[in-house]
Amino acid sequence: MDTGIFGEYVLWVLLTVARVVLIVVILYYVLRGVLNKWKQRKTGHPRQTAVCPHCGWKGKVSIHAGRCPRCNRPLEDRKMDGET
Ligand SMILES: [Zn+2]
């Protein structure tokens, strides 16, 4: 009876299982992140380029955001363009 080989085998199995579990967990989180991004792009908030009339910031913001990320004032130039 050689328990040393058995012990090494158990250790190898445990290491293999741990690696597989780790890979599955990483894949799960990566896939979930990709799916969330894809969902947001498809159904969520459409993004558009906006220019802040107060501080001149220019960039992409959500249509529903309505506020400048730099000075936190409302981006109201879009509405003014539409009305006048
Ligand atoms: Zn601003």
Side-chain angles (χ1 to χ4, degrees):
M1 280 183 69
D2 199 341
T3 50
I5 290 172
F6 182 72
E8 274 180 27
Y9 176 72
V10 168
L11 197 71
W12 178 81
V13 167
L14 281 177
L15 278 174
T16 307
V17 168
R19 268 184 221 159
V20 169
V21 167
L22 196 73
I23 288 169
V24 167
V25 167
I26 289 171
L27 274 177
Y28 171 74
Y29 277 106
V30 168
L31 275 175
R32 203 174 67 167
V34 169
L35 273 176
N36 277 346
K37 268 188 188 172
W38 185 72
K39 265 189 194 170
Q40 273 184 0
R41 189 173 292 180
K42 199 182 178 191
T43 61
H45 317 292
R47 296 170 85 78
Q48 63 165 21
T49 306
V51 182
C52 176
H54 305 288
C55 69
W57 175 88
K58 189 183 175 187
K60 292 208 167 186
V61 290
S62 167
I63 284 178
H64 306 293
R67 275 185 182 274
C68 171
R70 191 198 270 172
C71 66
N72 203 31
R73 278 190 257 184
L75 299 164
E76 49 200 357
D77 55 329
R78 285 171 287 143
K79 279 180 187 171
M80 283 165 74
D81 280 349
E83 282 166 7
T84 54

